[in-house]
Amino acid sequence: MSQTLPVFPWRCAPDGYATYRQLRAMGLRPGGQDVAAVIERPRRRREPLVAYLYRIELAKPVRPMTAAKRAALARADAAQRRCPGCGIDRGYRIPRSLGVCAWCADAPAALAA
């Protein structure tokens, strides 16, 4: 037997409900609970935007960051900043649309001129 979720209009959620981002801002996580309600924001000529709500009293605290996880995230961030073309850490994430840093992407154009 399927249970339908309550649907609330945009900005009209009752107290006791929060979105995932709102839970994170409070230092909480859903903690395995199912979606408790839905908020819909109507749009012209398109499907409405949907936000899922969770019960705040059933939420659990966010797990603390371990040293190993912090190190793994730092390595992943450093790998996304390193250009595969020139191998230099550019200090920003390399755009996936280019696949290389701006210097390497513009290099063929500079050589052709």
Side-chain angles (χ1 to χ4, degrees):
M1 178 177 204
S2 67
Q3 182 181 7
T4 60
L5 296 173
V7 178
F8 300 107
W10 197 252
R11 298 182 186 258
C12 294
D15 292 336
Y17 290 95
T19 63
Y20 182 82
R21 286 187 179 193
Q22 289 170 335
L23 287 176
R24 285 304 250 195
M26 292 184 255
L28 300 171
R29 61 186 170 94
Q33 65 174 299
D34 292 330
V35 174
V38 177
I39 292 183
E40 286 188 349
R41 178 179 175 207
R43 299 190 294 177
R44 294 182 185 189
R45 296 183 290 272
R46 290 193 278 176
E47 294 290 320
L49 289 176
V50 175
Y52 300 110
L53 298 174
Y54 301 93
R55 299 295 308 234
I56 295 174
E57 69 268 5
L58 298 177
K60 297 179 181 177
V62 175
R63 293 183 185 114
M65 180 81 68
T66 64
K69 187 169 183 180
R70 181 167 292 143
L73 289 172
R75 285 192 306 272
D77 189 44
Q80 290 179 352
R81 289 192 318 257
R82 186 169 302 280
C83 174
C86 60
I88 298 173
D89 184 344
R90 292 294 179 182
Y92 60 88
R93 290 190 176 191
I94 304 300
R96 294 180 71 184
S97 58
L98 296 176
V100 292
C101 66
W103 293 93
C104 292
D106 289 342
L111 294 175

